[in-house]
Each structure stands twice: as structure tokens, then as C-alpha cells.
Amino acid sequence: MRVLRYLVILTLVLVGPVAAQETGGTGEGTYGGSEGSYGGEGTTSPGLSVANRVATPQQVVMRLNAIPEFCSSSGAYLVDCMAERMEQLAEGMSGLSGYQDARKTIGETAANLRKIARDNRDPQAPRAVVQYSDANTKSSRPLVAVASARKRQAAAAAVSALEEAETILLRSAAQSTARAVQYQQIAAALGSNKVLLRSL
């Protein structure tokens, strides 16, 4: 068994206080444009790596199901770890035709989770990068830690954000006969992340 492959470690990134890193940029939840913009259906974001591209709805489900494994050892960084994984997934879905509603929902959920992490952050904790022990997979950006005293509040808000996303995805399933099963599977995979949040 290749046990070490699935160990997750935190690499501290010494970049100073979190607040000092929040200037500039285009804001929360941006995907190829202004806030809330996800590009058109079938458009691929410039510079999107081949490894991050999502070609099928089954890959969306697999990536959502992989989030608990990747983030399970991230501790106080859990909420932002989930946010970052969903950001990457939404970005990778830019060329997936017919699932723009799913992409939009996942992207907006990522933005909500990131905001929850920042609203409840520990100003004394450094940012950290989460990675597998083989270093082949790691978070695309440094993550924010939630303050110990605010973990329950942050986890509850994150669970609510996932439940809202599930509802939206299931509504999309009801409106799309051709892709109903796929939307239901995506909703279930996204919702499965609530189990890990409740352990925070």
C-alpha cells in the first residue's frame, strides 16, 4: 500500500499577517473576469493547465469527492482548503459544455467558503499551503486559518453554504431532463463535504 501518498501536510508560508495579503486583485470568487463572472459556456480560461481541465461531469464528481481526502488533515485551514479546491474545480470546468449552472454554483460556493474563512480568521496564524506528502498536489494559494474560538461558527456557516448549493444543483437537475442524473450526482458529491466540516 502506498500509504504516504495520501498523507497531507501543511507547509507554512511566511508571508506576514493575513490582513496584509488582502489588498489588490479582483476580489472574491472571480473566474476569468469581474466578480461573479464565469465566462461563457465552452470557453476555456487563458493559461488553464491541462491537469486542471475537467472534461466530463464524472470528473466533477470525482474532484468533489476528493476534497475531504485532500483537506482532512488541514485543521484550522479546512474551510479555506475546501474553498480553494472548489475554486480550482470551477476554473477547470470552463470548457465543460452544458454544465455552466454547476460551474457557477461551485464557483459561488467557493467564494462563500473563502469569505467565511476570512471573516473568522485567526490573525496570528500564518498562511499555509496544503499538499500531499509527495508534493505533486498542493493548494494553489496560501490558505487562511480559522480562529479556534470561531471554528464552530465557521463550520456551521460553511455547512449552510453547501446545503444552499445542493438545493440549487438539485433545482437545476429538475430543470434539465438530459442532465438530471449528473446534476444529482454533483449535488450529492458536493454535499458529502458537510461530514468533514461537522468534525471541525
Side-chain angles (χ1 to χ4, degrees), residues 109-169:
T109 303
N112 289 338
L113 293 177
R114 190 171 184 179
K115 183 177 187 302
I116 290 166
R118 292 191 173 194
D119 287 348
N120 294 280
R121 67 180 178 263
D122 182 350
Q124 303 304 317
R127 289 186 171 191
V129 171
V130 175
Q131 66 179 42
Y132 281 123
S133 58
D134 61 9
N136 288 332
T137 305
K138 63 182 180 180
S139 57
S140 61
R141 60 172 174 80
L143 307 178
V144 173
V146 169
S148 180
R150 303 178 69 88
K151 282 184 179 180
R152 287 188 178 181
Q153 177 179 328
V159 168
S160 293
L162 294 186
E163 288 176 343
E164 180 181 356
E166 277 187 279
T167 300
I168 293 171
L169 289 167

Side-chain angles (χ1 to χ4, degrees), residues 25 31 36 45 49-50 71 80 93 102 111 131 138 146 170 172 181:
Y31 297 88
S45 299
S49 69
V50 173
C71 297
D80 204 20
M93 291 173 66
Q131 66 179 42
K138 63 182 180 180
V146 169
L170 290 174
S172 295
V181 172

Side-chain angles (χ1 to χ4, degrees), residues 10-102:
L10 284 174
T11 302
L12 296 182
V13 181
L14 302 179
V15 292
V18 171
Q21 303 302 314
E22 295 179 358
T23 58
T26 56
E28 300 284 350
T30 56
Y31 297 88
S34 59
E35 183 171 359
S37 173
Y38 295 85
E41 180 181 351
T43 60
T44 302
S45 299
L48 182 62
S49 69
V50 173
N52 195 44
R53 291 176 187 168
V54 177
T56 68
Q58 289 73 28
Q59 289 179 344
V60 176
V61 172
M62 289 175 60
R63 293 271 292 270
L64 287 169
N65 283 332
I67 290 175
E69 180 184 38
F70 184 82
C71 297
S72 61
S73 299
S74 57
Y77 299 87
L78 174 61
V79 175
D80 204 20
C81 181
M82 288 185 168
E84 185 274 339
R85 291 290 85 190
M86 291 186 193
E87 289 167 6
Q88 289 295 294
L89 175 55
E91 185 71 15
M93 291 173 66
S94 62
L96 182 59
S97 178
Y99 291 88
Q100 65 273 24
D101 288 344

Side-chain angles (χ1 to χ4, degrees), residues 168-191:
I168 293 171
L169 289 167
L170 290 174
R171 189 180 302 134
S172 295
Q175 295 172 351
S176 175
T177 303
R179 299 182 177 89
V181 172
Q182 289 84 353
Y183 267 96
Q184 289 167 1
Q185 292 172 340
I186 292 170
L190 187 146

